[in-house]
């Protein structure tokens, strides 16, 4: 009974992850006390996270083929790892150690069901090909060195198709708000 409730809750969170994260983002900005150093440290994480997201977006044809090139040679979920770095970057920018410590827990609660559901979909769609990928490539934290198989060309067309420019606008707005929040107390 508890497992069924947890599964149902996880599936709801997975399908409503943007809605679920809105209160966390509002709370982050409300509690933030950024310094110049925390903003710079967070910006470094944001840069790595968004670079990983762009690299990933340029190598994935969602629902058409199994992504195995580019960053998908290191981790099966580079877009989500990029999201992790983005969220952690904003937590660092906040200048609040409690928010930095809380972020990985919240990320796990939101993304564990997302990854589980996505893996179920990919296993049903690609079968043994996905199982082989799971044997070679870790779920989240990257393996190094990557295996050379997988190839694949990077495509800016795919980056635009996946609307990464919307993420850029959101990041610019978030950084701008964090700077304004910090500037008020500097």
């Amino acid at each position: 009974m508890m497992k069924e409730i947890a599964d149902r809750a996880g599936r709801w969170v997975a399908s409503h992850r943007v809605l679920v994260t809105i209160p966390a983002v509002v709370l982050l900005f409300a509690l933030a006390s950024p310094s110049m150093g925390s903003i710079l440290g967070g910006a470094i994480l944001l840069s790595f996270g968004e670079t990983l997201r762009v690299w990933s977006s340029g190598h994935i044809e969602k629902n058409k083929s199994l992504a195995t090139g580019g960053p998908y040679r290191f981790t099966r979920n580079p877009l989500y790892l990029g999201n992790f770095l983005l969220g952690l970057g904003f937590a660092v920018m906040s200048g609040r150690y409690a928010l930095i410590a809380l972020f990985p827990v919240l990320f796990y609660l939101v993304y564990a069901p997302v990854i589980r559901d996505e893996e179920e979909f990919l296993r049903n769609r690609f079968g043994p090909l996905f199982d082989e990928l799971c044997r070679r490539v870790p779920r989240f934290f990257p393996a190094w060195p990557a295996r050379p198989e997988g190839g694949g060309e990077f495509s800016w067309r795919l980056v635009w198709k996946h609307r990464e420019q919307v993420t850029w606008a959101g990041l610019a707005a978030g950084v701008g708000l964090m700077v304004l929040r910090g500037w008020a107390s500097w």
Side-chain angles (χ1 to χ4, degrees):
M1 178 71 168
M2 288 303 289
K3 183 179 179 349
E4 183 179 318
I5 292 170
D7 284 347
R8 213 175 311 150
R11 290 193 192 287
W12 187 89
V13 167
S15 62
H16 296 87
R17 66 182 174 264
V18 173
L19 180 66
V20 169
T21 59
I22 290 172
V25 169
V26 169
L27 188 63
L28 173 89
F29 281 100
L31 297 176
S33 180
S35 66
M36 191 63 76
S38 70
I39 289 175
L40 291 174
I44 291 168
L45 289 169
L46 292 180
S47 297
F48 281 118
E50 187 52 23
T51 298
L52 182 55
R53 283 188 51 84
V54 168
W55 189 25
S56 303
S57 293
H59 279 89
I60 187 170
E61 288 271 4
K62 293 179 182 177
N63 302 323
K64 290 185 180 178
S65 62
L66 189 60
T68 59
Y72 293 90
R73 294 178 304 148
F74 302 93
T75 170
R76 296 193 311 263
N77 291 285
L79 280 165
Y80 298 149
L81 181 57
N83 289 349
F84 178 81
L85 293 172
L86 294 179
L88 186 60
F90 278 112
V92 167
M93 280 187 177
S94 78
R96 300 287 188 177
Y97 293 117
L99 295 176
I100 296 167
L102 185 59
F103 173 75
V105 174
L106 294 175
F107 185 88
Y108 177 81
L109 291 173
V110 171
Y111 277 93
V114 171
I115 290 170
R116 183 197 64 223
D117 288 353
E118 195 169 276
E119 285 183 346
E120 184 180 314
F121 170 81
L122 292 171
R123 187 165 280 110
N124 288 335
R125 184 157 181 111
F126 298 107
L129 187 60
F130 180 70
D131 291 334
E132 174 57 27
L133 181 69
C134 290
R135 281 190 284 281
R136 292 187 294 113
V137 180
R139 174 179 283 144
F140 192 73
F141 293 105
W144 189 263
R147 299 187 182 202
E149 49 292 305
E153 295 291 319
F154 177 86
S155 167
W156 279 104
R157 177 190 60 80
L158 290 173
V159 173
W160 292 110
K161 177 183 173 186
H162 298 309
R163 301 180 51 215
E164 200 59 29
Q165 63 274 21
V166 174
T167 303
W168 300 336
L171 290 173
V175 170
L177 287 172
M178 199 61 79
V179 168
L180 285 174
R181 182 89 166 115
W183 191 19
S185 63
W186 294 337

